[in-house]
Every structure is written in structure tokens, then in C-alpha cells.
């Protein structure tokens, strides 16, 4: 993700897709907290009618769109130092279609997350943006999980058990 940020310089959005419940949202939010002065996380799974109204009414006028978005989330937006995250973007395909225009505007960086099956299913009436860099995220296997938990002993022990048959 850091490589995308450095190489893209706002010229493309990052789409992270993968299976459900593997940590896409968590990783993206951690990245945004560490790498940007501010960020907004738009979770389309939990978006209320006020937030959806901002998207429905103002996407064609980006100055107003960004103003309302900043007010809604109470976040200051910094040109070239703010990330706007569209989480579960497959639930609102118009946001994904708008990426082309948002990236062209160039003020902020955009990261999208979504599930593989749903992303492919919900693209019928939209143009997939060419301004999108895709990254697949996969669930951890058991050995990776143990490493992440700081357990360096269990996997060698399990391997030993199977090799000593």
C-alpha cells in the first residue's frame, strides 16, 4: 500500500479486494492513520440516509461534495494529504464509478475495499475505472496467524509431531 501511495501520487485509486472478514477494513484504516494527516472512512455497509444523500446529490459538484463530506465526518481535508476510504464499495457501485472523476480532481487519495464475489456481481451498470490499482488480500493461514500472534513455538512443535510419526 505504501508503494502504491508513493508511486501513484494521487493518479490512481487503490482497490483492495478479497474474501469477507479477513481484515481489509482494519488494514486500510491503520494505513490511513499512519500515512495521512487526515482520513475519512465511508462504510457503505453502515451508511445512513444523510451520508447517502451527500453522495446522491453532490457527486457532480466536487467542491460541495467534499465540503459536505468534511462536515458530516467533522474532519479537515488536506489536499494531497487526506485519504478517503470507500469501505464495502460493492454496496454502492456509483461510488466506484465516481473514482474516475475523483482521481482526476487530484485533491485526495482514494482507497476502496470490497468482497470479491460482490464486486464482480455489482458492476453491471457502471464503468470500472481505469484509474484503479487492484490489490488482492488473502486470509492468513494458521502459521501466519501464529506469527502475527507472536507465537514462534507452536508451528515447529506441530511440524515435529507430524514428522515423528
Amino acid at each position: 500500500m505504501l508503494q502504491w501511495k508513493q508511486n501513484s501520487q494521487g493518479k490512481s485509486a487503490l482497490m483492495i479486494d478479497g474474501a469477507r472478514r479477513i481484515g481489509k477494513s482494519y488494514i486500510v484504516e491503520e494505513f490511513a492513520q499512519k500515512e495521512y494527516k487526515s482520513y475519512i472512512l465511508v462504510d457503505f455497509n453502515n451508511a445512513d440516509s444523510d451520508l447517502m444523500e451527500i453522495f446522491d446529490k453532490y457527486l457532480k459538484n466536487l467542491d460541495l461534495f467534499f465540503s459536505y463530506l468534511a462536515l458530516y465526518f467533522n474532519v479537515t481535508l488536506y489536499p494531497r494529504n487526506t485519504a478517503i476510504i470507500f469501505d464495502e464499495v460493492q454496496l454502492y457501485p456509483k461510488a466506484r464509478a465516481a473514482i474516475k472523476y475523483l482521481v482526476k480532481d487530484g485533491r485526495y487519495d482514494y482507497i476502496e475495499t470490497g468482497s470479491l464475489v460482490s464486486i464482480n456481481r455489482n458492476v453491471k451498470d457502471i464503468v470500472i475505472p481505469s484509474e484503479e490499482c487492484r490489490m488482492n488480500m488473502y486470509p492468513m493461514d494458521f502459521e501466519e496467524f501464529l506469527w502475527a500472534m507472536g507465537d514462534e513455538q507452536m508451528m515447529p512443535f506441530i511440524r515435529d509431531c507430524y514428522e515423528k510419526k
Side-chain angles (χ1 to χ4, degrees):
M1 289 176 24
L2 190 56
Q3 186 177 11
W4 159 78
K5 182 184 179 205
Q6 292 167 345
N7 292 343
S8 153
Q9 295 294 308
K11 305 258 188 290
S12 70
L14 178 62
M15 163 55 96
I16 298 179
D17 59 9
R20 295 187 47 73
R21 314 274 316 147
I22 62 170
K24 296 180 299 289
S25 304
Y26 175 81
I27 292 295
V28 167
E29 188 168 12
E30 285 289 311
F31 176 75
Q33 285 175 358
K34 290 181 176 138
E35 297 298 325
Y36 293 90
K37 191 169 182 178
S38 71
Y39 73 95
I40 288 177
L41 174 63
V42 178
D43 181 355
F44 287 110
N45 195 43
N46 293 313
D48 63 21
S49 59
D50 291 337
L51 179 57
M52 295 312 295
E53 186 176 343
I54 294 169
F55 278 84
D56 291 337
K57 282 188 175 180
Y58 301 109
L59 259 175
K60 301 260 188 225
N61 181 336
L62 293 182
D63 291 332
L64 280 174
F65 174 73
F66 293 131
S67 292
Y68 279 111
L69 211 54
L71 286 169
Y72 179 89
F73 286 99
N74 193 27
V75 170
T76 301
L77 302 178
Y78 300 94
R80 300 301 326 125
N81 206 2
T82 293
I84 298 177
I85 302 163
F86 292 161
D87 194 26
E88 300 292 349
V89 72
Q90 76 276 3
L91 298 175
Y92 191 66
K94 286 182 185 177
R96 188 156 181 228
I99 286 294
K100 174 183 185 81
Y101 307 104
L102 294 168
V103 168
K104 184 178 179 184
D105 175 71
R107 284 181 249 191
Y108 312 110
D109 284 354
Y110 300 91
I111 305 173
E112 307 159 274
T113 71
S115 301
L116 284 168
V117 173
S118 297
I119 288 173
N120 293 334
R121 198 179 292 151
N122 290 344
V123 295
K124 181 180 171 244
D125 295 324
I126 68 166
V127 176
I128 302 300
S130 58
E131 295 77 7
E132 193 176 78
C133 177
R134 290 186 72 123
M135 180 184 295
N136 293 318
M137 187 171 169
Y138 301 96
M140 287 189 263
D141 64 25
F142 187 62
E143 185 173 18
E144 292 168 328
F145 172 76
L146 291 173
W147 291 336
M149 298 304 295
D151 186 338
E152 303 273 333
Q153 304 305 311
M154 183 61 72
M155 205 60 211
F157 174 76
I158 292 172
R159 246 188 237 108
D160 264 1
C161 289
Y162 282 97
E163 290 172 1
K164 288 182 179 179
K165 289 187 199 180

